[in-house]
């Protein structure tokens, strides 16, 4: 226990934390950015880790008529995506369940996306005590609302939680919620996310993680 408080719950973002999907999203958003902003190469890297609402509110704010078309293409793309677990995740979460640690998903993805996940992974819900999606909260990351609601759903205090995130907004959300922050360097480099996390790992094959839930 890094901060001396016993941890009773582990809260996980979805993309880049449970599933190694970020490279696929880079392909999708790379295509959309080239379609609308050919003069800004690499724009997809600037929006990496942002929610769809945030992307529409910033980069695509002037293209409101096009947003429904982009959303439809995104939905079609997600139906064809593969959802491969981040290395070591399944073994890690099974270990948590054996210890009696509560687990939850805290994602800005919607229920339509979760249908795709469950279709490929029927076992998915067995790993978690709660799954919170964008329909469950009004404030997007980096606001702490989603993580605070997850803790409330599980019946634990924020200080009893460990949050696992890969994006800058997600890491800020966990920290603002008063939880221990584990950053996964699946989307951004270890050096880039280190200032926002208490622990930084490449994947779940890391011995330091086992010390969090003693």
């Amino acid at each position: 226990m890094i901060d001396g408080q016993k941890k009773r719950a582990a809260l996980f973002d979805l993309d880049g934390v449970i599933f190694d999907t970020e490279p696929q999203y880079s392909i999708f958003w790379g295509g959309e950015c080239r379609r609308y902003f050919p003069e800004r190469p690499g724009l997809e890297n600037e929006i990496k880790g942002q929610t769809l609402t945030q992307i529409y509110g910033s980069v695509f704010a002037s293209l409101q008529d096009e947003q429904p078309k982009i959303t439809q293409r995104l939905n079609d793309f997600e139906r064809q995506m593969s959802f491969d677990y981040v290395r070591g995740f399944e073994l890690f979460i099974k270990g948590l369940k054996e210890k009696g640690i509560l687990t939850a998903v805290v994602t800005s993805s919607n229920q339509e996306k979760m249908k795709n996940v469950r279709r490929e992974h029927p076992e998915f819900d067995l790993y978690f005590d709660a799954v919170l999606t964008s329909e469950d909260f009004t404030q997007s990351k980096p606001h702490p609302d989603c993580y605070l609601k997850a803790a409330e759903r599980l019946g634990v205090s924020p200080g009893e939680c460990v949050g696992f995130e890969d994006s800058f907004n997600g890491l800020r959300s966990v920290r603002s919620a008063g939880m221990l922050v584990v950053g996964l360097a699946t989307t951004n480099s270890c050096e880039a996310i280190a200032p926002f996390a208490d622990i930084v790992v490449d994947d779940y094959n890391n011995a330091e993680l086992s010390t969090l839930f003693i």
Side-chain angles (χ1 to χ4, degrees):
M1 294 178 289
I2 289 181
D3 57 7
Q5 187 167 5
K6 184 175 178 62
K7 304 306 177 187
R8 299 175 53 204
L11 314 180
F12 299 87
D13 179 39
L14 189 73
D15 294 295
V17 174
I18 296 175
F19 296 117
D20 188 18
T21 50
E22 288 301 338
Q24 296 175 78
Y25 280 114
S26 292
I27 293 172
F28 174 81
W29 285 112
E32 294 301 310
C33 290
R34 287 189 294 275
R35 182 194 303 267
Y36 294 107
F37 304 101
E39 75 284 0
R40 298 176 64 181
L43 179 59
E44 66 273 16
N45 296 319
E46 297 179 29
I47 63 176
K48 186 178 291 186
Q50 294 185 17
T51 66
L52 186 60
T53 299
Q54 290 165 338
I55 292 171
Y56 283 168
S58 56
V59 175
F60 292 86
S62 62
L63 299 170
Q64 293 191 12
D65 291 342
E66 292 297 307
Q67 290 178 13
K69 300 175 187 178
I70 299 171
T71 299
Q72 184 58 57
R73 287 194 292 269
L74 177 60
N75 289 339
D76 293 341
F77 181 83
E78 288 179 335
R79 278 192 286 272
Q80 304 301 319
M81 280 178 59
S82 61
F83 295 94
D84 299 323
Y85 286 112
V86 171
R87 284 183 301 175
F89 174 78
E90 283 192 282
L91 185 61
F92 179 68
I93 197 151
K94 288 175 182 177
L96 293 183
K97 302 303 287 183
E98 289 173 359
K99 292 181 179 180
I101 301 300
L102 298 170
T103 56
V105 176
V106 185
T107 177
S108 298
S109 297
N110 58 23
Q111 285 292 344
E112 187 65 28
K113 162 82 168 286
M114 297 311 299
K115 290 179 183 177
N116 301 324
V117 169
R118 291 175 172 115
R119 184 169 57 248
E120 184 169 337
H121 292 283
E123 79 289 350
F124 184 78
D125 286 308
L126 298 177
Y127 292 149
F128 303 100
D129 298 291
V131 176
L132 283 76
T133 61
S134 61
E135 291 85 355
D136 293 303
F137 39 85
T138 56
Q139 302 267 24
S140 297
K141 302 171 185 178
H143 195 280
D145 178 53
C146 54
Y147 277 100
L148 293 174
K149 284 187 175 178
E152 182 179 6
R153 181 86 61 90
L154 295 178
V156 296
S157 69
E160 294 175 303
C161 298
V162 180
F164 294 77
E165 276 282 358
D166 64 312
S167 70
F168 296 114
N169 282 335
L171 294 164
R172 291 187 181 100
S173 179
V174 177
R175 178 153 285 174
S176 296
M179 301 175 180
L180 190 71
V181 188
V182 175
L184 278 97
T186 52
T187 302
N188 301 287
S189 69
C190 291
E191 294 76 17
I193 65 175
F196 305 93
D198 299 299
I199 297 174
V200 176
V201 297
D202 291 319
D203 53 41
Y204 294 94
N205 296 323
N206 186 293
E208 189 174 6
L209 293 180
S210 64
T211 66
L212 298 177
F213 300 95
I214 296 176

